[in-house]
Amino acid sequence: GGNTAIDLGVAVFELPHSMQEKVRHANVSEAILGIRPENVKLVETRQNSAIEAKVEMLESIGREIHVHLTVGECSIIAIATLAEDVTVGKSAWILLDEQKIHVFNGRTGEALA
């Protein structure tokens, strides 16, 4: 057995196959999904692997706009170039770059994949 999907509270994210073995082999009960803001892409409409997130706050940093989102209990930051792409309090769709995801042991913080 061993579940290789990460439950985000309101969405379940299926790990890429390359990571599934590593995480399964580690046999952890709790995993943390990590991804950098530049690897989270905002999309206007629902797509196959897009996750629905709620826009909590917009933070302007130079030319970039950091979009603070929540997916259930999880906080995620994405980078947008145009503020009109998102509205605080509304939903947005995000795509995670599967090649840039990191998975950590939820109890020890050790990198698994």
Side-chain angles (χ1 to χ4, degrees), residues 36-48:
R36 294 183 188 277
E38 59 267 25
N39 301 319
V40 179
K41 183 180 173 194
L42 288 160
V43 289
E44 287 180 25
T45 54
R46 181 177 189 155
Q47 295 179 16
N48 253 356

Side-chain angles (χ1 to χ4, degrees), residues 26-105:
N27 198 22
V28 294
S29 58
E30 199 176 298
I32 295 170
L33 191 68
I35 190 162
R36 294 183 188 277
E38 59 267 25
N39 301 319
V40 179
K41 183 180 173 194
L42 288 160
V43 289
E44 287 180 25
T45 54
R46 181 177 189 155
Q47 295 179 16
N48 253 356
S49 54
I51 298 167
E52 188 174 5
K54 184 178 176 209
V55 180
E56 300 291 345
M57 182 179 89
L58 301 179
E59 181 182 19
S60 188
I61 299 177
R63 292 182 184 179
E64 297 177 339
I65 295 147
H66 286 204
V67 182
H68 294 255
L69 305 135
T70 51
V71 178
E73 300 290 308
C74 305
S75 297
I76 294 177
I77 299 173
I79 294 177
T81 47
L82 299 170
E84 56 266 25
D85 287 351
V86 288
T87 308
V88 173
K90 300 269 191 205
S91 287
W93 294 96
I94 56 171
L95 290 170
L96 306 181
D97 183 338
E98 293 189 352
Q99 304 305 312
K100 307 285 185 180
I101 292 169
H102 300 279
V103 182
F104 303 93
N105 183 323

Side-chain angles (χ1 to χ4, degrees), residues 3-24:
N3 194 354
T4 53
I6 298 205
D7 189 349
L8 300 175
V10 294
V12 174
F13 179 75
E14 185 72 31
L15 287 173
H17 290 294
S18 59
M19 285 185 189
Q20 289 185 12
E21 268 314 302
K22 291 179 188 171
V23 173
R24 202 179 284 132

